[in-house]
Amino acid sequence: MTRFRLYFILILLAIAGSAVATAQQAQFSLVPPRAVVEGRNFNLTFRLTDGEANAPAAPQLPHCRLLYGPSTSTMQSTQIVNGRMSSTYSIDYTFVYRAEEPGEVNVPEVSISSGGKTLHSRAASFNILPADKSTAHGSQSGPSHVQADDYTTQTPGRVDKDDLLVRVSFSKSKVYEQEPVVATIKVYTKYDISSFMVTTQPAFEGFLCEELPVTLEMNLEHFNGQNYHTAVLKRLLLYPQKAGKLSVNSGKYDVTIVQYESVNMGFFRTSRPVERTLTTSSNAASLTVEALPEPRPAAFNGAVGKFTASARLEPELLKTNEAATYTYTVTGTGNIKFLNSPSIEFPAGVDVYTPKNEIDARVAGANMTGSCSTVFTIVPQEQGAFTIDGVPFVYFDPEKHKYETVDIPAIPFKVAKGAGTSSAASEQKTLNTHINDILHIHQLKGGRKAAPSYIATQPWYWIVFLVFALGLVGVVFVYRRNIRLNADVAGRRLARAGRVAGRRLKEARKYMQVRESDRFYASLALALRGYIGDKLSIPPSQLVRENITERLGARGVNDATIADVIEVLDTCEMARFTPMNTDTEMSATYNKAVEAIRNIEK
């Protein structure tokens, strides 16, 4: 390929990328600042994607002073995936402000006109953090003071205890027993951290714990008059199990921080990172837990939160010796995962099996919500009318500071005679109806035991066995054939070349019928080039005239067919620059491409 032709193709790709970008819908958005500190400059950037427009007016921000702007920067990217080209073009308009005082800053909606349309950015807000106490209002405690957002102050030397902290904190200072509280373990640092190893975890004794998901991302936060980079290491949903003052011991951590050392390079000075490993401990936190009020109701089983309860019996019509289910369901928010099973008294003449708990709970904010169902499997042994007494559900509401009761109505039911009930069983039931842990002994009818029948003696068993054996052989054959075909990449491309070309020709024909000439010629060229590449195993980068002519000739394709292929490709290429919109021209080119593919297949 000559250098002129390579430059020509690159220009065409750039033009096509610009056309795609222009066709996409323009978008206008705000890129808000991540962390802003009082007395520092910060950037406010508005981004216009896939459009052209004049710069917007600078918005008026409270607690801030506009220094200059906008400055404009552009970015363009182009990619080709599966033969399709996509391009993105964006313009950033950046305004520089100075944060005058701490507080919340609301960025209003900003509009811009692009392509005859008015685009609006969404309103947003961010906070200006107070400056460090030692540097507020221009007063400084000395050069040793470290600032989280200024690398020039993070020089090697002594690390103060306030420059690296690991804190354990609770979302509440006082709770009741079983009332949920969130514990957060967070690191506060003024240095970058290259590694963080936990050597001793804080122990939460006296709590039931449920670990919450966290995202390890750094944020700038103001704490105790200083600004820190912070990250949440762990969040736990805790349920205190006893009253009193519960303490959490301190954990230990090995932390490698990054400091910056100034280096004299002769004509200028620069800085290089220096790592330093430290061992730090978290604080020992405590929580006051109040005992639940006395006296506690008799039906109270430790539920704390807000709940509702219900019970149901299925099916409605019961029969002897047939299983049924009695389901006791508690729904609400609180310690739903740690509820005890209710104690239900079932009537005599009903066998009860070990209950099964089904819990469907999820964390919602600083609490847990969901349902807990206790399923009792019962088997009536007697006919008649019975009643399952409703057991009320009692819980403690920490917001109201009192116990609440949910009444459960009794469920009456009737038991009909089942198919498996015998007269002997009816006689035995009168022995002792209060004994429900020993079942009656049922004797078999007749004195002789029936001779066993083996399934292997049945004709249908061998028929099914033969069918499964043949099916297994077929599966193995197909599997090995697929492995062999998948290994032959060139063979698979050759086999599917005609089908892929037919599908792409069908797409080109559709564009021809609606008279979209640009898409028609692009689809036709893609179909013909893809067919030749798959048929002759030529990479897309080598599909040029010389290679196509040489390889087709080597395969025995006649000169007339080769000339038709080259002519169709040239026509599609020229159609991108020279209008060829007549139906006759498109139809003739399409027919020539189809005939060329048909001749190559022959």
Side-chain angles (χ1 to χ4, degrees):
M1 180 183 293
T2 63
R3 181 177 298 180
F4 174 78
R5 186 172 299 168
L6 177 61
Y7 290 161
F8 184 70
I9 293 176
L10 292 177
I11 293 174
L12 292 181
L13 291 176
I15 295 175
S18 301
V20 173
T22 305
Q24 295 177 353
Q25 186 176 2
Q27 297 179 352
F28 187 57
S29 60
L30 167 67
V31 183
R34 293 191 59 184
V36 180
V37 179
E38 178 188 6
R40 300 293 182 86
N41 299 343
F42 66 93
N43 296 336
L44 190 69
T45 302
F46 295 89
R47 179 168 296 165
L48 176 63
T49 305
D50 297 329
E52 296 283 350
N54 294 326
Q60 297 296 323
L61 303 183
H63 314 301
C64 301
R65 177 165 57 91
L66 177 65
L67 298 181
Y68 61 87
S71 59
T72 304
S73 62
T74 61
M75 180 180 65
Q76 181 173 357
S77 62
T78 303
Q79 61 180 357
I80 301 176
V81 179
N82 295 332
R84 295 187 177 182
M85 179 182 297
S86 61
S87 178
T88 301
Y89 178 79
S90 62
I91 306 176
D92 286 354
Y93 305 98
T94 302
F95 299 89
V96 179
Y97 291 84
R98 183 176 181 83
E100 298 289 341
E101 57 184 14
E104 183 179 7
V105 178
N106 295 315
V107 182
E109 180 182 278
V110 175
S111 60
I112 196 171
S113 180
S114 175
K117 295 182 179 180
T118 301
L119 306 177
H120 302 274
S121 66
R122 292 186 177 181
S125 62
F126 62 91
N127 290 320
I128 298 177
L129 302 179
D132 291 354
K133 285 184 177 180
S134 56
T135 60
H137 306 296
S139 63
Q140 296 187 0
S141 61
S144 62
H145 176 72
V146 179
Q147 300 181 35
D149 57 340
D150 189 357
Y151 289 147
T152 60
T153 64
Q154 301 174 13
T155 56
R158 178 177 177 272
V159 178
D160 192 77
K161 64 178 182 179
D162 293 332
D163 294 341
L164 177 64
L165 307 171
V166 178
R167 295 187 65 252
V168 180
S169 60
F170 294 101
S171 59
K172 303 175 184 178
S173 60
K174 182 185 294 186
V175 294
Y176 283 102
E177 292 179 65
Q178 299 291 342
E179 182 182 359
V181 59
V182 176
T184 303
I185 304 177
K186 184 185 290 187
V187 59
Y188 295 77
T189 176
K190 292 188 176 182
Y191 299 95
D192 290 340
I193 295 177
S194 61
S195 69
F196 191 99
M197 297 294 294
V198 181
T199 56
T200 303
Q201 285 278 17
F204 294 87
E205 297 181 358
F207 297 93
L208 292 177
C209 302
E210 185 78 16
E211 191 161 345
L212 303 178
V214 296
T215 56
L216 294 176
E217 59 178 11
M218 301 296 291
N219 296 298
L220 195 65
E221 184 177 326
H222 194 79
F223 174 72
N224 280 351
Q226 302 289 323
N227 292 316
Y228 294 91
H229 293 296
T230 64
V232 176
L233 304 177
K234 181 178 287 190
R235 294 179 70 242
L236 298 169
L237 186 60
L238 306 178
Y239 295 89
Q241 300 299 297
K242 59 182 179 181
K245 191 173 184 179
L246 301 184
S247 299
V248 178
N249 65 341
S250 60
K252 290 187 177 181
Y253 310 89
D254 290 337
V255 185
T256 302
I257 63 173
V258 180
Q259 298 176 320
Y260 292 89
E261 181 182 41
S262 179
V263 179
N264 190 350
M265 302 298 291
F267 295 101
F268 61 93
R269 302 183 67 85
T270 184
S271 60
R272 64 182 177 186
V274 178
E275 292 189 347
R276 182 176 180 182
T277 301
L278 307 171
T279 298
T280 186
S281 301
S282 61
N283 61 315
S286 60
L287 178 69
T288 302
V289 181
E290 295 185 7
L292 295 177
E294 298 288 349
R296 302 184 183 186
F300 179 69
N301 67 349
V304 176
K306 291 186 178 182
F307 302 96
T308 59
S310 62
R312 69 180 186 275
L313 179 64
E314 295 176 338
E316 296 181 357
L317 178 61
L318 277 67
K319 295 182 180 181
T320 55
N321 292 328
E322 294 185 5
T325 57
Y326 178 82
T327 306
Y328 192 97
T329 303
V330 178
T331 304
T333 301
N335 57 341
I336 190 74
K337 289 186 69 173
F338 309 106
L339 299 182
N340 298 318
S341 300
S343 179
I344 308 294
E345 290 290 338
F346 291 92
V350 176
D351 292 343
V352 184
Y353 294 88
T354 302
K356 180 179 65 174
N357 285 338
E358 298 177 352
I359 299 176
D360 180 15
R362 65 187 182 279
V363 176
N367 212 328
M368 188 172 293
T369 184
S371 64
C372 176
S373 298
T374 303
V375 182
F376 297 85
T377 300
I378 62 175
V379 180
Q381 299 294 332
E382 303 176 11
Q383 303 177 46
F386 303 89
T387 300
I388 301 177
D389 295 331
V391 175
F393 179 75
V394 180
Y395 66 93
F396 179 76
D397 190 338
E399 294 184 359
K400 297 181 180 180
H401 309 284
K402 66 177 183 177
Y403 295 96
E404 300 284 351
T405 301
V406 180
D407 293 324
I408 305 296
I411 299 179
F413 63 96
K414 292 183 178 181
V415 179
K417 182 179 180 180
T421 306
S422 63
S423 59
S426 300
E427 294 175 359
Q428 290 180 352
K429 72 180 181 180
T430 61
L431 295 178
N432 192 341
T433 58
H434 297 286
I435 299 177
N436 56 13
D437 59 344
I438 300 177
L439 298 179
H440 295 291
I441 298 176
H442 299 279
Q443 297 182 354
L444 296 174
K445 293 183 179 180
R448 302 184 67 181
K449 187 176 180 180
S453 176
Y454 298 100
I455 191 173
T457 61
Q458 304 296 326
W460 61 266
Y461 170 80
W462 294 104
I463 295 176
V464 173
F465 178 81
L466 182 61
V467 170
F468 274 101
L470 293 176
L472 179 60
V473 173
V475 169
V476 172
F477 175 78
V478 173
Y479 177 72
R480 292 179 62 85
R481 177 177 176 273
N482 287 338
I483 291 178
R484 187 167 57 254
L485 292 177
N486 290 335
D488 185 9
V489 177
R492 287 191 293 112
R493 292 183 59 189
L494 179 63
R496 67 183 178 87
R499 295 194 303 271
V500 175
R503 185 168 63 252
R504 291 171 174 171
L505 286 173
K506 185 176 180 181
E507 181 179 2
R509 183 179 181 84
K510 180 182 67 176
Y511 291 134
M512 181 179 67
Q513 292 175 347
V514 297
R515 298 181 179 179
E516 295 186 12
S517 59
D518 292 342
R519 292 188 175 182
F520 164 74
Y521 286 112
S523 299
L524 188 61
L526 181 62
L528 190 54
R529 287 183 179 274
Y531 170 76
I532 294 174
D534 292 341
K535 202 71 174 177
L536 303 180
S537 299
I538 302 177
S541 60
Q542 298 181 13
L543 283 173
V544 296
R545 294 168 55 98
E546 293 81 0
N547 285 348
I548 294 174
T549 302
E550 181 182 351
R551 298 291 288 275
L552 287 177
R555 290 294 184 93
V557 179
N558 58 56
D559 295 340
T561 303
I562 296 175
D564 290 342
V565 170
I566 299 302
E567 182 179 352
V568 171
L569 293 177
D570 290 344
T571 301
C572 294
E573 187 72 20
M574 293 302 298
R576 302 172 62 182
F577 308 99
T578 305
M580 302 175 65
N581 299 329
T582 65
D583 295 343
T584 303
E585 293 174 339
M586 290 191 291
S587 178
T589 306
Y590 177 81
N591 292 335
K592 186 171 294 184
V594 172
E595 185 64 24
I597 293 176
R598 185 181 297 115
N599 291 336
I600 295 175
E601 286 290 322
K602 291 180 181 180

